[in-house]
Amino acid sequence: MIDIFNAHATDPNKELKGVAVPLPGCGDVRFVIARANNKNYQKAVQHQYKKHKAVIDGKGEEAEKLSKAIVADVMAKTVLLGWQDAEGKPCTIPYKGKQHAYSVEIAAAMLSHADFAAKVEEASADFNNYKLVQDAEDEGNSESGLSGSSSGDQS
């Protein structure tokens, strides 16, 4: 019989501070990704919506452009929290021909690319990355868990 706690409980610390996971098509870099729709994300979206309510409610092209920029910025501050090398140390990654350490600005720029944002969103929505009790078969294959280094600005 399946223990519901073991099967479904998630670690709130991992959900907010992120876990280091590889993303398809991104080499051996591991991206520190917090859980989708975490409380920091929700709070930031609400703040941005209130701040830009008139434009967003106005619909149209300007509202769509602003909404996309807000989502990328909020995800960079609350979901994509860093990147690491295979040993779990912060590293630089190439973007537009230059090496970049993690910053909210670079993360937001990367998240403005729909396909990359979709990969981050998929990883952030995978509850297996945040489970409190890892399945026995996952134990040997998973190093998910934050090594404690995120240089992302959480404010």
Side-chain angles (χ1 to χ4, degrees):
M1 181 172 273
I2 294 176
D3 183 309
I4 298 301
F5 179 84
N6 289 349
H8 299 285
T10 56
D11 182 334
N13 190 49
K14 287 180 182 179
E15 290 182 332
L16 287 178
K17 294 190 177 183
V19 294
V21 296
L23 295 178
C26 295
D28 59 358
V29 173
R30 297 173 63 83
F31 293 85
V32 179
I33 299 177
R35 182 105 190 248
N37 213 18
N38 67 60
K39 69 180 182 179
N40 294 337
Y41 178 89
Q42 291 174 6
K43 186 176 175 182
V45 166
Q46 288 174 356
H47 173 76
Q48 289 297 327
Y49 177 75
K50 287 177 185 175
K51 184 176 175 181
H52 301 285
K53 184 178 183 341
V55 174
I56 293 170
D57 287 350
K59 309 286 185 220
E61 192 174 313
E62 184 182 1
E64 186 176 326
K65 185 177 178 181
L66 178 60
S67 292
K68 287 180 180 181
I70 288 171
V71 168
D73 182 64
V74 169
M75 283 184 67
K77 291 176 179 172
T78 64
V79 176
L80 178 56
L81 305 178
W83 37 81
Q84 303 173 348
D85 62 20
E87 294 158 6
K89 297 178 183 167
C91 65
T92 61
I93 60 173
Y95 179 68
K96 291 189 171 183
K98 295 181 181 177
Q99 290 293 122
H100 296 276
Y102 176 83
S103 72
V104 169
E105 294 78 21
I106 293 299
M110 292 168 50
L111 288 162
S112 71
H113 304 288
D115 291 331
F116 179 74
K119 290 176 183 182
V120 172
E121 288 170 356
E122 184 177 341
S124 72
D126 183 352
F127 95 101
N128 289 305
N129 289 329
Y130 310 97
K131 282 178 69 173
L132 196 58
V133 178
Q134 291 295 320
D135 296 333
E137 62 269 13
D138 292 344
E139 290 287 326
N141 299 332
S142 175
E143 290 181 35
S144 70
L146 185 63
S147 71
S149 57
S150 166
S151 55
D153 178 13
Q154 295 287 317
S155 56

